[in-house]
Amino acid sequence: MVKLKKYNGFLKLFVIFLTLFSISSCSTKNYNLTKIEGKQVPVTEKAGETPEIENFIKPYRDHINKDLDNVLAYCPETLDKSTGKWQTSIGSLMADVCVQRGNLVFNAREKKDIDICLLNHGGIRAILPKGNVTTRTAFEIMPFENSLVVMALKGDQILDITAYIIKEKKPQPLSGMTFTITKDNKAKDIMVQGKPLDLNKTYYVATNDYLANGGDSMAFFAKSTQKFDLNYKLRDVLIDYFKEVDTVVAPKNIRITEE
């Protein structure tokens, strides 16, 4: 019995020694990463489907798709943002609609009218195809959650808008203002709502909340003297317009010309 106790005691000490030795050895070694390997694991719809979940979701998905595919209007021609140097059919339409629909809210709340609308070329994410226009169409054109806001700007900031458009060389959606670009890339004959620009006047410019906060380098909005949030998503502006008209008519009037 005494020998067995001694043996067990020795065995415990030996195990403790090995453990301490292993820890000490690991802590003194330096390990370097020499290679990273990976492989592509394809994910398919069928592989990810769970029948119970699919059966639960299906009624809701069908209901949403029915709403999205509801026909609101008809467009006789395809409108996109790639045709036009300084303006496009879809851009002009969106800017005009923002003035029209935005004024219903702005005038009722503030007893004022929107003078100009400026949006960004990159904000238009899809074409308006020829044929039936649905709610889904509006979501594809404007998938973001941007809302319509109105910024109060002095005449100097309106000059900044023209300079920005000329510098960017993109057909930014514009409504309510026209001007001519001179050979030395300056704006002249600036008209707002059919009247010459007054540098001392306050103009109300509709845009989206992203641009109002300086998005796309539109720093001139930071000089606004007032900001009015209409709580009206641009997507809903489009949807309400489509619901109101039977046929979408693309604006044909010229907003920017060159010498």
Side-chain angles (χ1 to χ4, degrees), residues 118-124 164 171-173 207-208 210-211 216 218:
L118 174 67
L119 302 174
N120 58 326
H121 178 258
I124 303 171
Y164 174 87
Q172 314 290 355
T207 189
N208 66 51
Y210 166 70
L211 301 177
D216 272 14
M218 293 192 184

Side-chain angles (χ1 to χ4, degrees), residues 9-23:
F10 173 79
L11 184 61
K12 288 180 181 179
L13 288 174
F14 183 71
V15 170
I16 292 171
F17 171 77
L18 286 178
T19 302
L20 293 174
F21 177 78
S22 298
I23 294 173

Side-chain angles (χ1 to χ4, degrees), residues 174-189:
L174 181 68
S175 179
M177 180 169 69
T178 62
F179 62 93
T180 297
I181 303 173
T182 65
K183 293 180 180 179
D184 58 349
N185 286 327
K186 303 292 182 182
K188 74 171 189 177
D189 300 333

Side-chain angles (χ1 to χ4, degrees), residues 121-134:
H121 178 258
I124 303 171
R125 309 304 288 188
I127 65 171
L128 179 54
K130 178 181 179 180
N132 289 335
V133 178
T134 65

Side-chain angles (χ1 to χ4, degrees), residues 18-31:
L18 286 178
T19 302
L20 293 174
F21 177 78
S22 298
I23 294 173
S24 176
S25 299
C26 289
S27 63
T28 57
K29 290 182 179 180
N30 294 321
Y31 294 93

Side-chain angles (χ1 to χ4, degrees), residues 56-74:
F56 178 79
I57 292 175
K58 187 178 185 302
Y60 300 97
R61 181 191 291 119
D62 292 345
H63 178 72
I64 291 173
N65 283 331
K66 182 179 179 181
D67 287 344
L68 289 175
D69 293 330
N70 182 37
V71 176
L72 306 178
Y74 178 79

Side-chain angles (χ1 to χ4, degrees), residues 147-166:
S147 294
L148 192 63
V149 299
V150 178
M151 310 295 281
L153 299 178
K154 290 292 187 181
D156 286 341
Q157 280 74 64
I158 305 304
L159 287 176
D160 292 339
I161 289 178
T162 62
Y164 174 87
I165 293 173
I166 294 170

Side-chain angles (χ1 to χ4, degrees), residues 46-222:
K46 289 186 178 180
E49 286 183 1
T50 303
E52 293 82 2
I53 295 176
E54 286 299 310
N55 291 335
F56 178 79
I57 292 175
K58 187 178 185 302
Y60 300 97
R61 181 191 291 119
D62 292 345
H63 178 72
I64 291 173
N65 283 331
K66 182 179 179 181
D67 287 344
L68 289 175
D69 293 330
N70 182 37
V71 176
L72 306 178
Y74 178 79
C75 189
E77 59 179 314
T78 296
L79 309 183
D80 63 56
K81 67 176 187 178
S82 63
T83 54
K85 181 178 180 180
W86 295 109
Q87 67 185 71
T88 64
S89 53
I90 192 171
S92 295
L93 176 69
M94 287 188 63
D96 284 358
V97 170
C98 284
V99 172
Q100 175 193 333
R101 301 294 310 178
N103 259 335
L104 297 177
V105 179
F106 190 55
N107 187 266
R109 289 185 188 175
E110 306 297 332
K111 308 303 179 187
K112 296 178 174 65
D113 294 318
I114 296 170
D115 297 298
I116 299 169
C117 178
L118 174 67
L119 302 174
N120 58 326
H121 178 258
I124 303 171
R125 309 304 288 188
I127 65 171
L128 179 54
K130 178 181 179 180
N132 289 335
V133 178
T134 65
T135 304
R136 188 186 300 275
T137 308
F139 272 83
E140 290 170 348
I141 294 172
M142 189 56 59
F144 311 112
E145 296 300 307
N146 296 120
S147 294
L148 192 63
V149 299
V150 178
M151 310 295 281
L153 299 178
K154 290 292 187 181
D156 286 341
Q157 280 74 64
I158 305 304
L159 287 176
D160 292 339
I161 289 178
T162 62
Y164 174 87
I165 293 173
I166 294 170
K167 179 183 176 183
E168 290 295 311
K169 292 183 172 61
K170 293 178 182 178
Q172 314 290 355
L174 181 68
S175 179
M177 180 169 69
T178 62
F179 62 93
T180 297
I181 303 173
T182 65
K183 293 180 180 179
D184 58 349
N185 286 327
K186 303 292 182 182
K188 74 171 189 177
D189 300 333
I190 303 171
M191 305 289 285
V192 178
Q193 292 297 325
K195 298 179 181 179
L197 176 67
D198 183 348
L199 296 180
N200 297 314
K201 183 179 177 180
T202 295
Y203 293 95
Y204 296 100
V205 182
T207 189
N208 66 51
D209 51 353
Y210 166 70
L211 301 177
N213 291 323
D216 272 14
S217 301
M218 293 192 184
F220 42 82
F221 282 126

